[in-house]
Amino acid sequence: MLDSLRSIVQEVNSARDFASVLDIIVKRVRKTTDTGVCSIYLHDPVSDKYILAATEGLNPEAVGNIRLATGQGLVGLVAAKAEPINLDDAEAHPNFAYFPESGEERFRSFLGAPVIHHRKVLGVLVVQQAERRRFDESEEAFLVTVSAQLAGVIAHANATGQLTRQLSPELVLSGGERVFRGVPSVPGISIGHAVVITSPADLYAVPHRAASDIDHELALFHQALEQTKQDLRTVHADLSEKLNQEERALFDVYVSMLDDSSLGGEVTVLIRAGLSAQTAWSEVIIEHIRNFSSMEDAYLRERATDVRDLGRRVLGYLQQSQVENREYPNDSVLIGEELAAANLADISVEKIVAMVSAKGSRNSHLAILGRAMGIPTVMGAIDLPWRELDGNQVIVDGHLGLIIANPRPEVLRAYMAQIEEEKILSADLERLRDEPSVTADNHHITLWVNTGLRLDSLLSLDRGAEGVGLYRTEIPFFMQERFPSEDEQRKIYREQMEMFAPRPVTMRTLDIGGDKALPYFPIEEANPFLGWRGIRISLDHPEIFLVQLRAIMRASEGLENLRILLPMISNIPELESALALVNRVYHELTEEEGYTLTKPLVGAMIEVPAAAYQVRDIARRVDFLSVGSNDLTQYLLAVDRNNSRVADLYHTLHPALLHALKQIVEGASAENCPISVCGEMAGDPLSALLLVGLGYRVLSMSATNLLRVKAILRQVSIAQAEGLAQTCLTLSDNSQIRSYLESAFTDPEITRLYSWTKSSPY
């Protein structure tokens, strides 16, 4: 059955649409199990019923008409129990429900398996047979395996609205509201119109667009076909002496495929039906690729590659024929499968109100740029049907990671009101820029910023930052097509230190690996977050590390505001090795090359559990410590913080994290070692209060959050913060801690600083 399972998965993955997926499943499972019936019942969130969505063996007219509540009938019982049910005489079971329209009275044996995704029963997959018999273990295991494979497909269909269109088409209005979730990467809310950004000559990245001028689209299409035919004839002529007759004949086949009697004719029909040339061409080619890929004959399967290549050639010409100067609306929401910094080159930044990428993480280069520019950004929206959204009105909620397409009027009004509230709050916060960062009882809390771009730094200075707690030195490395030279690095670092002088600037040494791979230094690993990253790479490549250390120290000459931070420290030997290289560079520059330098303070990041447990040993060897709350949370909870599938398990107020933070600050204090927190936690107003209550007095955050944190700190005393922290350490659940912190404040001037997510309808 393994070969059958592979074949089913392959066909499902290449299916044109969700209806085709269901059809493939019931037909192939029925054939593989050699049963009389295979059916899929799917949960309809609108009616809260399990609806017969597809069948092979029952009356086709029953599809959409048989509806079962949870617990009703055998199908409802499978859903209620969330486990398989295997019966040799279905009619004898007390839960058996008879539906005359189904024609199932002929089938006695019943095997049903739940389709479960993220603990929710999305449907039930059923096989039935006329004769009485109990399905054997291998058959039951096969059905469970198919159900598990089907779960992700159904979940995606539910997220993208295909499920509702399949089960309740009468409820789907043209342009109806749809809500998608991703990873919140840059906070803020924007409302605008989607502008789909596609990759060149990518058949699967062509947005679904209607033709505004059918004759014009037909002309563009035929022009692209002629250009492609000419290319093929040219290649044919150039290679004629090097190919045999059969190989030369392939070029003639390619050319004939473009004729009106073949692919060209199919596309022309779709264009005349109202599709753009690019959309029509991609749909026809993808369908032919699917057909060839699913063929059993190996030779014919290989032809899918030929069709794909031909499709890309024509699409390339169609894209070239587009108007070069595309008109972008003033409220552009850039949306794409995998947006990158290069996609910003063709549009004025002033026109971009938000960015959404189906792939990527909150640490992607695009997200970093978004933070620097203050543009709400959502990454990792894996279920987003981005090709379909071009021109749609879209709300992007960067606080919650939501994308709301074609919002209902009441939702639109709610978010517009929230935007106005944030504008008023931002104006109020601006008055605090030059006010001291002190608690209500006049204790100073140092507020630094995390930065990596010039835009970031300018915003930080404008917000009254007291220094840089984390400068991401890897950013200049991402900007290059090779490792930057020592002088190139020195100039970038010098500019940063000059901008903030005499305020301290903490330069974190190169921190790549994990989800941050340089394009010219790829790192392929099965588990990158537990692999080769941070200081491990620097120590393994001293030729890179030493050049960076020289550039950093040379950049600090005459400024005396440099601090060097070592990332991803997990044991004492690697810390001592890194410190030895820092000392070596300092002595070479001062004693051998004559630079006049003050020896910089050197610190270590506490961001893995091993470092948290050895904090005193580390503190005795460095000048300061910095807690990387993002990675520390990730490693303590074993949750990839960039994975939207487990995003609801990533809790920065998890009790285990709070106890670890308490232990870390106590260990640093015992060694008289200064300590700060850099990461998203420091920039959350309630979490910042909690950190102060735990004993932290230096917080480093995104510049966009600095004034909000300052405002809340100025209204709470140290004693209050310590009391909050003490109570939170006794609680056992993240939600309890969050609820307690929120209930501790009733003053509207405080609640407005942290409750921006509460006014969301979702």
Side-chain angles (χ1 to χ4, degrees):
M1 287 187 175
L2 182 58
D3 288 339
S4 296
L5 179 62
R6 287 172 178 159
S7 176
I8 291 171
V9 171
Q10 183 180 32
E11 287 187 51
V12 165
N13 290 337
S14 62
R16 169 185 282 183
D17 51 34
F18 187 53
S20 300
V21 167
L22 299 180
D23 187 56
I24 290 167
I25 292 288
V26 294
K27 287 181 177 177
R28 299 288 279 115
V29 170
R30 182 194 183 197
K31 180 179 179 182
T32 302
T33 57
D34 192 24
T35 51
V37 173
C38 179
S39 306
I40 297 175
Y41 296 79
L42 296 180
H43 181 256
D44 177 20
V46 177
S47 63
D48 195 25
K49 297 288 182 67
Y50 288 86
I51 302 175
L52 179 62
T55 186
E56 184 73 6
L58 295 181
N59 184 355
E61 293 183 4
V63 172
N65 294 318
I66 297 180
R67 297 170 176 253
L68 300 162
T70 302
Q72 180 185 6
L74 294 176
V75 169
L77 185 61
V78 173
K81 293 169 68 70
E83 64 180 6
I85 291 179
N86 189 348
L87 302 171
D88 60 359
D89 188 359
E91 291 183 11
H93 194 280
N95 262 70
F96 178 77
Y98 174 60
F99 296 92
E101 64 268 32
S102 71
E104 68 177 330
E105 65 272 10
R106 304 188 311 274
F107 303 101
R108 306 289 294 277
S109 304
F110 174 96
L111 174 60
V115 180
I116 301 175
H117 184 77
H118 285 189
R119 308 179 190 180
K120 294 181 179 179
V121 178
L122 303 181
V124 177
L125 180 60
V126 175
V127 291
Q128 296 171 267
Q129 200 153 2
E131 65 268 20
R132 289 181 54 179
R133 76 175 182 90
R134 186 175 178 83
F135 291 92
D136 63 35
E137 290 183 356
S138 64
E139 291 171 315
E140 185 173 323
F142 174 74
L143 203 67
V144 169
T145 305
V146 173
S147 297
Q149 294 281 353
L150 185 59
V153 179
I154 295 176
H156 179 75
N158 185 29
T160 57
Q162 295 179 70
L163 184 61
T164 302
R165 289 195 288 274
Q166 180 76 18
L167 300 181
S168 305
E170 72 280 0
L171 298 178
V172 181
L173 303 176
S174 177
E177 179 181 284
R178 288 187 285 171
V179 182
F180 311 99
R181 295 184 181 274
V183 177
S185 301
V186 182
I189 296 169
S190 287
I191 301 173
H193 287 85
V195 174
V196 173
I197 305 297
T198 62
S199 302
D202 184 347
L203 292 162
Y204 296 88
V206 176
H208 190 88
R209 292 192 179 116
S212 56
D213 183 338
I214 290 177
D215 289 338
H216 178 64
E217 293 295 321
L218 286 171
L220 291 178
F221 176 58
H222 288 298
Q223 181 182 1
L225 291 184
E226 289 306 316
Q227 289 171 312
T228 305
K229 289 178 181 178
Q230 184 57 47
D231 287 346
L232 292 172
R233 293 185 183 110
T234 300
V235 174
H236 183 197
D238 291 344
L239 297 177
S240 59
E241 295 181 0
K242 300 178 182 178
L243 302 177
N244 60 35
Q245 183 176 351
E246 290 77 11
E247 291 167 337
R248 289 198 301 271
L250 282 175
F251 287 93
D252 297 329
V253 172
Y254 285 171
V255 171
S256 65
M257 287 174 68
L258 299 176
D259 291 339
D260 287 343
S261 59
S262 187
L263 296 177
E266 294 180 45
V267 175
T268 298
V269 170
L270 290 182
I271 294 175
R272 293 193 184 282
L275 290 181
S276 70
Q278 288 189 38
T279 302
W281 176 253
S282 67
E283 289 194 0
V284 168
I285 291 297
I286 289 171
E287 177 64 17
H288 280 274
I289 291 172
R290 286 195 194 104
N291 291 337
F292 278 112
S293 297
S294 62
M295 290 180 179
E296 294 184 4
D297 184 271
Y299 175 81
L300 291 176
R301 276 202 309 273
E302 286 298 318
R303 302 289 66 77
T305 302
D306 300 332
V307 175
R308 185 181 294 110
D309 177 65
L310 194 62
R312 288 171 177 165
R313 288 174 181 272
V314 175
L315 180 60
Y317 280 116
L318 285 173
Q319 290 176 332
Q320 285 180 20
S321 63
Q322 281 185 316
V323 179
E324 293 296 325
N325 297 320
R326 181 178 180 182
E327 288 294 324
Y328 291 93
N330 291 328
D331 60 350
S332 294
V333 176
L334 300 191
I335 292 180
E337 182 180 26
E338 193 164 13
L339 290 183
N343 295 128
L344 307 182
D346 298 329
I347 179 172
S348 172
V349 173
E350 290 76 18
K351 291 187 174 184
I352 305 173
V353 299
M355 297 185 291
V356 179
S357 182
K359 295 181 180 179
S361 71
R362 59 163 53 91
N363 283 328
S364 297
H365 189 192
L366 183 79
I368 293 170
L369 282 172
R371 281 193 286 273
M373 296 183 290
I375 297 174
T377 302
V378 176
M379 307 293 290
I382 54 177
D383 288 322
L384 186 74
W386 53 274
R387 293 177 59 204
E388 303 174 12
L389 298 181
D390 197 59
N392 287 198
Q393 186 177 44
V394 174
I395 298 173
V396 177
D397 185 337
H399 300 302
L400 297 178
L402 298 179
I403 306 101
I404 305 165
N406 300 312
R408 289 171 286 136
E410 59 270 29
V411 172
L412 190 60
R413 285 193 296 270
Y415 271 107
M416 289 176 70
Q418 193 172 342
I419 290 172
E420 288 305 311
E421 288 175 14
E422 290 201 3
K423 286 180 180 178
I424 294 170
L425 177 59
S426 296
D428 291 343
L429 292 176
E430 286 297 326
R431 304 190 188 103
L432 295 178
R433 198 191 83 163
D434 297 322
E435 294 295 323
S437 175
V438 293
T439 59
D441 51 351
N442 211 35
H443 284 79
H444 181 253
I445 307 297
T446 301
L447 299 184
W448 287 345
V449 289
N450 305 328
T451 182
L453 295 164
R454 180 177 174 80
L455 279 170
D456 236 346
S457 301
L458 292 172
L459 179 60
S460 302
L461 290 167
D462 188 56
R463 297 291 168 90
E466 299 173 56
V468 176
L470 173 65
Y471 178 81
R472 303 179 182 91
T473 61
E474 60 271 11
I475 300 300
F477 286 74
F478 284 115
M479 302 295 190
Q480 304 279 344
E481 295 181 354
R482 52 169 174 74
F483 283 106
S485 68
E486 181 178 325
D487 274 337
E488 286 173 331
Q489 292 183 59
R490 183 194 63 79
K491 290 175 184 176
I492 295 169
Y493 304 151
R494 178 74 180 185
E495 179 183 46
Q496 182 74 19
M497 284 186 263
E498 284 181 333
M499 287 176 69
F500 278 88
R503 288 162 288 201
V505 174
T506 308
M507 293 275 177
R508 182 180 66 187
T509 59
L510 188 61
D511 188 18
I512 58 174
D515 60 342
K516 296 177 288 185
L518 299 175
Y520 48 85
F521 191 67
I523 302 170
E524 298 293 336
E525 291 183 305
N527 198 338
F529 284 105
L530 297 181
W532 201 44
R533 58 173 303 198
I535 200 66
R536 299 168 182 176
I537 294 177
S538 294
L539 292 177
D540 284 350
H541 280 278
E543 77 282 10
I544 298 172
F545 190 40
L546 291 170
V547 167
Q548 183 180 38
L549 289 173
R550 285 179 56 85
I552 290 173
M553 289 191 211
R554 286 178 55 208
S556 72
E557 189 173 29
L559 296 176
E560 301 185 355
N561 64 339
L562 170 64
R563 292 156 39 104
I564 295 177
L565 182 59
L566 304 172
M568 195 67 182
I569 297 297
S570 59
N571 59 67
I572 299 303
E574 68 185 3
L575 173 61
E576 291 179 338
S577 296
L579 291 174
L581 292 175
V582 172
N583 290 330
R584 170 182 156 184
V585 169
Y586 175 74
H587 288 298
E588 286 176 354
L589 289 174
T590 55
E591 296 177 11
E592 298 177 17
E593 301 181 37
Y595 285 91
T596 304
L597 301 171
T598 299
K599 189 173 184 180
L601 299 177
V602 182
M605 291 199 75
I606 306 297
E607 52 187 340
V608 299
Y613 283 109
Q614 278 198 290
V615 65
R616 294 191 65 172
D617 291 325
I618 295 173
R620 282 193 288 268
R621 291 167 170 81
V622 296
D623 300 306
F624 65 93
L625 296 173
S626 181
V627 179
S629 65
N630 296 351
D631 270 335
L632 183 60
T633 305
Q634 165 172 266
Y635 290 128
L636 274 174
L637 305 186
V639 175
D640 177 359
R641 58 195 169 97
N642 297 317
N643 186 341
S644 59
R645 295 191 187 279
V646 292
D648 58 342
L649 299 177
Y650 182 86
H651 301 309
T652 55
L653 294 179
H654 193 287
L657 177 64
L658 300 190
H659 285 283
L661 289 167
K662 182 66 174 174
Q663 178 179 323
I664 291 167
V665 75
E666 288 175 348
S669 178
E671 299 298 332
N672 294 314
C673 183
I675 188 167
S676 63
V677 176
C678 62
E680 300 300 322
M681 190 176 184
D684 174 68
L686 285 180
S687 298
L689 278 181
L690 193 51
L691 289 169
V692 170
L694 290 172
Y696 293 90
R697 297 295 180 265
V698 182
L699 306 177
S700 188
M701 65 203 71
S702 170
T704 54
N705 295 331
L706 191 144
L707 292 179
R708 199 187 296 261
V709 170
K710 181 190 283 189
I712 202 167
L713 291 176
R714 286 174 58 86
Q715 299 183 60
V716 179
S717 68
I718 289 290
Q720 284 178 285
E722 290 175 344
L724 291 171
Q726 194 61 41
T727 300
C728 288
L729 289 171
T730 67
L731 301 177
S732 59
D733 178 72
N734 166 80
S735 59
Q736 291 178 3
I737 293 170
R738 172 66 69 173
S739 296
Y740 168 71
L741 289 173
E742 292 177 349
S743 65
F745 301 103
T746 56
D747 184 342
E749 287 301 310
I750 295 180
T751 58
R752 70 197 290 242
L753 296 171
Y754 67 79
S755 62
W756 59 82
T757 61
K758 288 188 175 297
S759 57
S760 168
Y762 300 97

